[in-house]
Amino acid sequence: MALKHIKTVFSKPKYILFFLVPSLLIATLYLTVWANPAAFGALGIGHLIFNWAFALTMPLLIGLVIAVQIHNIREHKTCPATGTAGGFLGGLLGVASVACPICPAVFLGWLGLAGAVSSAILSSIWFKALSIGLLVVALLAATKGRN
């Protein structure tokens, strides 16, 4: 069902653009600003493979979620404008907090939490795996019940 809806979304060329632009932008930011690809294998071959898989999978999933959500909003009118803005801002903060190792500390600092600096460990392999899982869940939720 989800693949059928994704195929429907990509049958219109404008949604391919909504997929490609965020995917390329996030991949570029992740590999140049937020992460150091030279250190991907610092903890062994397993981490090297996982970090490269994450670097390639995360932007593609984010692009898919964005394209499907924009399609749902434009074609099915499933979300009011206020919900869309909140979802976009939440998605942007979520991407930044997962991809950027220091961003969670900054965001928690903005909220006034005293222990914000200790949250910099949130860039571990487990949180990256969890973020991929949550992106898959978001994609499945966005395609649920759609044709």
Side-chain angles (χ1 to χ4, degrees), residues 33-67:
V33 177
W34 293 335
N36 180 8
F40 277 3
L43 297 175
I45 189 71
H47 281 267
L48 176 71
I49 293 169
F50 180 83
N51 283 327
W52 275 109
F54 178 79
L56 298 174
T57 305
M58 182 213 28
L60 295 177
L61 284 173
I62 291 170
L64 277 174
V65 170
I66 289 171

Side-chain angles (χ1 to χ4, degrees), residues 37-121:
F40 277 3
L43 297 175
I45 189 71
H47 281 267
L48 176 71
I49 293 169
F50 180 83
N51 283 327
W52 275 109
F54 178 79
L56 298 174
T57 305
M58 182 213 28
L60 295 177
L61 284 173
I62 291 170
L64 277 174
V65 170
I66 289 171
V68 168
Q69 289 290 20
I70 290 173
H71 176 269
N72 289 346
I73 291 165
R74 288 186 169 186
E75 305 294 328
H76 301 288
K77 310 288 188 237
T78 58
C79 188
T82 55
T84 305
F88 177 75
L89 181 60
L92 186 63
L93 289 175
V95 168
S97 64
V98 168
C100 171
I102 197 65
C103 292
V106 173
F107 295 149
L108 290 174
W110 286 346
L111 295 174
L113 299 175
V117 176
S118 65
S119 73
I121 63 166

Side-chain angles (χ1 to χ4, degrees), residues 134-146:
L134 290 175
L135 283 169
V136 169
V137 169
L139 183 61
L140 291 174
T143 60
K144 184 177 180 184
R146 306 273 184 244

